[in-house]
Amino acid sequence: GNETMLDVTYRLNDVLTKWPSRTFYQNELISSKDASKRRLNLSPETTRWDFALDPDSPAVFLDLCQENTTVRSRVEADVVLELILSLLMRDVSPEDIGVVVSYRAQSRLIRSLIRRNLMDSEITDRLVVDTVERMQGQEREVIIVSFATASAKFASQMAEFLFQPQRLNVAVTRPRTKLILVGSSNMLNADQYDESQKETLDILRDLINSCHHITVPNGILD
């Protein structure tokens, strides 16, 4: 007979498995019995980012609604820093946190903010901030993805690189229990994309639609 080959992931929980399974594995990627029920384990402190850290929402898209950023976004970098500080405050260990970025300019910005605000090099050295390629084969409890690009015009020029399906697949299959996408829905403005990019754009839009969508209020960083 023609039995399907089920791919079992021992990393991703059930919710995080759904989108890659549907998009890249013909619905044949399943989460192992132990992995599927895992949720992010947080200590009881409260932080102002708890709405984003909620273990019951394993995949979230934080929409910062920015307009024109290209290869770096200070607002995104600030949000990533705050998320990291909140995770550390809630007892997630630094080696369980990974940040995936598309551009070196954004990783430099995030790293310098981390160094300036955390002071403790022992902690900063255990936090990984890197490009998708460098994160291949790695896994973390929590993965934060910073898209940096809010300009659809720029995104369309970079689409083959930025939203290349294989790179999205690598990024979203690194976390065990929590994926936080940080970006701006403006990068999806369809009128900036040509027909040849439709499939790539649809995959990105579908990824974002599969996440719990949270519009981050402008004043949160004040």
Side-chain angles (χ1 to χ4, degrees):
N2 183 3
E3 59 269 21
T4 45
M5 282 295 295
L6 284 179
D7 258 320
V8 179
T9 169
Y10 296 93
R11 173 189 308 143
L12 302 159
N13 69 18
D14 52 356
V15 175
L16 295 178
T17 303
K18 270 185 199 139
W19 186 78
S21 183
R22 190 178 76 220
T23 310
F24 300 108
Y25 300 95
Q26 290 82 45
N27 285 318
E28 285 165 15
L29 181 66
I30 57 165
S31 190
S32 74
K33 201 160 129 271
D34 288 340
S36 74
K37 295 292 165 260
R38 272 204 305 257
R39 292 295 180 264
L40 180 61
N41 202 349
L42 299 171
S43 63
E45 279 80 13
T46 49
T47 79
R48 61 177 177 165
W49 290 90
D50 290 347
F51 65 88
L53 305 186
D54 182 0
D56 293 330
S57 294
V60 295
F61 173 60
L62 299 186
D63 188 353
L64 307 186
C65 306
Q66 288 190 283
E67 296 278 329
N68 299 315
T69 56
T70 57
V71 298
R72 64 202 288 275
S73 159
R74 177 59 200 258
V75 175
E76 274 189 36
D78 284 333
V79 168
V80 169
L81 173 70
E82 297 242 352
L83 290 168
I84 290 170
L85 293 172
S86 298
L87 287 162
L88 294 171
M89 207 187 301
R90 302 200 62 185
D91 287 352
V92 176
S93 77
E95 47 271 276
D96 277 331
I97 304 169
V99 181
V100 179
V101 291
S102 303
Y103 310 101
R104 293 200 189 90
Q106 186 70 354
S107 73
R108 280 196 296 272
L109 182 54
I110 291 170
R111 283 201 196 108
S112 72
L113 286 179
I114 289 172
R115 275 196 303 275
R116 235 178 308 170
N117 287 273
L118 272 164
M119 301 303 181
D120 184 344
S121 63
E122 201 262 314
I123 291 181
T124 53
D125 293 346
R126 288 150 64 199
L127 288 162
V128 175
V129 181
D130 228 324
T131 56
V132 182
E133 289 72 23
R134 302 283 291 278
M135 291 294 264
Q136 200 136 12
Q138 301 203 36
E139 58 180 68
R140 295 285 181 279
E141 202 61 33
V142 183
I143 289 287
I144 302 169
V145 177
S146 174
F147 285 103
T149 304
S151 152
K153 190 175 171 55
F154 184 78
S156 69
Q157 292 157 15
M158 296 296 284
E160 292 321 298
F161 159 77
L162 183 57
F163 310 137
Q164 202 226 338
Q166 188 45 39
R167 300 175 89 234
L168 286 178
N169 187 22
V170 170
V172 304
T173 53
R174 301 304 97 207
R176 290 188 281 266
T177 56
K178 185 81 182 185
L179 174 69
I180 304 175
L181 304 179
V182 182
S184 292
S185 48
N186 294 324
M187 66 181 166
L188 297 169
N189 291 344
D191 56 356
Q192 294 287 348
Y193 293 83
D194 62 42
E195 203 43 45
S196 69
Q197 297 169 321
K198 186 177 165 358
E199 191 183 351
T200 300
L201 186 64
D202 285 348
I203 286 180
L204 177 64
R205 188 176 281 125
D206 187 54
L207 167 62
I208 285 171
N209 289 340
S210 77
C211 294
H212 176 54
H213 192 135
I214 302 173
T215 301
V216 175
N218 265 331
I220 194 154
L221 291 167
D222 298 346

